[in-house]
Amino acid sequence: MATKVNQLWQQIPHGAVVTTAWLEAHGISSNHAAKLTEAGWLKRLGRTSDL
């Protein structure tokens, strides 16, 4: 999985915003995205439930 994440990081411009749906479409589950957030690789900007 680390290779898949590294490949995605190369495709995303620094500072770009991607959605959970985009990550899931590219093979990163919401659980994995949460782990990446906890590890500091992703930063949560908000939730649709915050609207």
Side-chain angles (χ1 to χ4, degrees):
M1 182 60 80
T3 302
K4 180 177 259 322
V5 172
N6 288 333
Q7 290 172 348
L8 287 177
W9 273 203
Q10 292 174 9
Q11 294 176 22
I12 304 168
H14 180 73
V17 175
V18 297
T19 64
T20 304
W22 186 91
L23 290 170
E24 288 179 348
H26 289 84
I28 306 297
S29 70
S30 58
N31 287 336
H32 191 198
K35 290 177 183 177
L36 291 170
T37 301
E38 290 173 14
W41 286 92
L42 295 175
K43 185 174 185 179
R44 183 179 298 257
L45 298 178
R47 297 180 185 192
T48 55
S49 61
D50 292 342
L51 297 175

